[in-house]
């Protein structure tokens, strides 16, 4: 069925796939993601330095292999992989090999030692790191209708929505397991209002995408970092939203804005995985928001200014209510649980 003004009615998964990754999609635009929103990678070089320290710990656990891979999923314009390789000690850097996984075209100024691929290489030894990738893996949306039936939400290119067929099959099973609607599942504080209008993002494609990424690692560690929620705190009306030019906006699947939704990381987790908050992960990797002693301002003013800037950037990366609340999903592959 086709709408006269807004275009064809489609599920959000199909509409988002075209809007983000189609020939005229948002992620193929020349300015890249950094032109529209700020991630931990863009907030401070301290983030790449922390990931480099994690790669060094993985390297040690692996016994210092002759080739050590760093795979950057959804690499944007290669900012993270570039920063990680730059921050490595010389001995580790001499064995490191960087891979940027991205659908957009390779940036002309990217260092030649970084491989630019659309899919992660198979069987690598090292660290696969997915920073804000899974939130852009498109998903369908379910909503409870007036009769209490979970239905797919359909959308047109102009963002207009309507309800479609009932959710069935594997998607219905995923909702039953991970995001029951109405909220009767494992939530510690189940939603107590009327069930009509409750929404959920059906995260099954993200589970599959993450499992595929993890399977590409022969030995090492896979890490997903993202806006996240777990079964005890699912948002009753979902999290689907858009970003354009640094501002949150309505999610309109016409290629003009980013379309994102938080990730049910507990559903993505495979056996042996661990979940923790970014603030805890980064602090374990040496990122602290503590202010330098005032005495340093007297003895070495330039060093004090540098340390103060460092503390401010650290605080942003670990802040409650901000980047510090991001979830980290750690998935060891063929090695003991990597201790941060």
């Amino acid at each position: 069925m086709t709408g006269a003004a807004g275009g064809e009615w489609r599920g959000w998964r199909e509409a988002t796939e075209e809007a983000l990754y189609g020939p005229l999609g948002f992620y193929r635009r020349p300015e890249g993601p950094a032109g529209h929103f700020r991630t931990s990678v863009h907030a401070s070089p301290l983030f790449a330095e922390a990931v480099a320290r994690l790669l060094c710990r993985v390297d040690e656990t692996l016994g210092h292999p002759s080739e050590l891979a760093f795979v950057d999923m959804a690499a944007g314009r290669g900012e993270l992989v570039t920063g990680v390789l730059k921050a490595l000690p010389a001995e580790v850097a001499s064995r490191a090999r960087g891979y940027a996984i991205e659908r957009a075209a390779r940036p002309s100024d990217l260092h030649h030692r970084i491989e630019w691929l659309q899919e992660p290489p198979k069987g690598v030894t090292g660290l696969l790191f997915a920073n804000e990738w899974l939130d852009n893996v498109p998903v369908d949306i379910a909503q409870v209708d007036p009769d209490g039936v979970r239905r797919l939400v359909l959308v047109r290119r102009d963002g207009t929505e309507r309800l479609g067929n009932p959710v069935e099959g594997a998607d219905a099973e995923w909702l039953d397991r991970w995001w029951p609607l109405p909220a009767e599942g494992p939530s510690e504080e189940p939603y107590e209002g009327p069930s009509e209008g409750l929404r959920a993002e059906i995260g099954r494609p993200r589970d599959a995408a993450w499992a595929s990424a993890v399977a590409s690692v022969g030995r090492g560690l896979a890490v997903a970092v993202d806006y996240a929620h777990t079964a005890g705190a699912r948002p009753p009306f979902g999290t689907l939203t858009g970003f354009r030019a640094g501002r949150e906006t309505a999610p309109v699947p016409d290629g003009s804005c980013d379309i994102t939704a938080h990730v049910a990381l507990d559903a993505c987790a495979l056996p042996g995985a661990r979940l923790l908050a970014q603030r805890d992960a980064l602090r374990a990797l040496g990122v602290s928001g503590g202010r330098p002693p005032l005495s340093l301002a007297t003895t070495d003013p330039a060093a004090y200014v540098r340390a103060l800037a460092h503390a401010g950037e650290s605080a942003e990366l670990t802040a409650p209510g901000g980047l510090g609340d991001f979830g980290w999903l750690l998935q060891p592959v063929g090695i003991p649980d990597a201790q941060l």
Side-chain angles (χ1 to χ4, degrees):
M1 184 179 299
T2 301
E8 180 183 4
W9 291 103
R10 297 181 292 177
W12 267 105
R13 182 182 178 188
E14 180 183 350
T16 301
E17 178 70 29
E18 180 178 337
L20 296 184
Y21 307 114
L24 301 177
F26 176 82
Y27 278 104
R28 297 188 184 275
R29 295 169 59 158
E31 69 271 21
H36 294 272
F37 51 85
R38 180 179 174 89
T39 72
S40 298
V41 178
H42 309 126
S44 170
L46 297 178
F47 187 80
E49 293 168 8
V51 176
R53 286 192 286 274
L54 178 59
L55 180 57
C56 289
R57 296 186 186 185
V58 172
D59 177 54
E60 183 176 356
T61 303
L62 291 168
H64 310 292
S66 59
E67 181 174 295
L68 179 69
F70 179 71
V71 182
D72 181 8
M73 299 294 296
R77 296 303 178 263
E79 298 95 337
L80 179 60
V81 63
T82 298
V84 168
L85 295 180
K86 181 180 179 181
L88 291 174
E91 191 282 324
V92 179
S94 66
R95 295 181 285 108
R97 187 169 182 178
Y99 300 90
I101 315 304
E102 180 59 66
R103 298 198 198 186
R106 179 188 180 100
S108 60
D109 59 349
L110 188 69
H111 197 283
H112 63 84
R113 68 186 289 203
I114 299 171
E115 292 196 43
W116 191 265
L117 305 171
Q118 292 204 354
E119 298 290 339
K122 302 300 183 183
V124 296
T125 299
L127 173 61
L128 179 145
F129 202 87
N131 185 62
E132 296 195 44
W133 168 50
L134 288 174
D135 69 295
N136 287 128
V137 173
V139 293
D140 277 318
I141 310 298
Q143 180 173 318
V144 179
D145 74 6
D147 297 320
V149 177
R150 302 175 304 188
R151 294 185 178 274
L152 285 175
V153 178
L154 305 181
V155 65
R156 296 194 302 191
R157 196 170 184 273
D158 64 359
T160 305
E161 290 184 340
R162 75 174 193 185
L163 297 186
N165 293 328
V167 180
E168 298 177 338
D171 285 346
E173 293 174 4
W174 189 92
L175 288 175
D176 291 339
R177 171 69 178 85
W178 293 109
W179 198 331
L181 286 175
E184 300 170 349
S187 174
E188 297 174 359
E189 298 181 1
Y191 180 75
E192 296 181 352
S195 62
E196 181 183 353
L198 295 180
R199 290 168 69 121
E201 291 104 28
I202 305 172
R204 194 167 60 88
R206 292 171 172 176
D207 299 355
W210 180 242
S212 178
V214 172
S216 72
V217 179
R219 288 183 68 229
L221 180 68
V223 179
V225 180
D226 233 311
Y227 300 96
H229 48 69
T230 57
R234 302 285 191 227
F237 300 100
T239 61
L240 184 71
T241 190
F243 285 93
R244 181 190 298 114
R247 296 180 180 273
E248 189 169 7
T249 185
V252 179
D254 61 358
S256 68
C257 66
D258 182 30
I259 297 174
T260 178
H262 295 195
V263 183
L265 277 181
D266 51 343
C268 296
L270 300 169
R274 282 195 297 148
L275 281 169
L276 64 162
Q278 172 155 299
R279 71 178 62 87
D280 298 322
L282 290 183
R283 285 170 181 165
L285 291 168
V287 177
S288 171
R291 294 173 62 90
L294 283 174
S295 59
L296 185 62
T298 302
T299 59
D300 191 340
Y304 177 78
V305 171
R306 290 193 299 271
L308 197 61
H310 184 288
E313 293 173 6
S314 298
E316 181 180 2
L317 290 171
T318 59
L323 295 174
D325 288 345
F326 272 47
W328 280 46
L329 170 60
L330 284 75
Q331 189 77 54
V333 180
I335 61 173
D337 182 16
Q339 295 297 318
L340 284 174

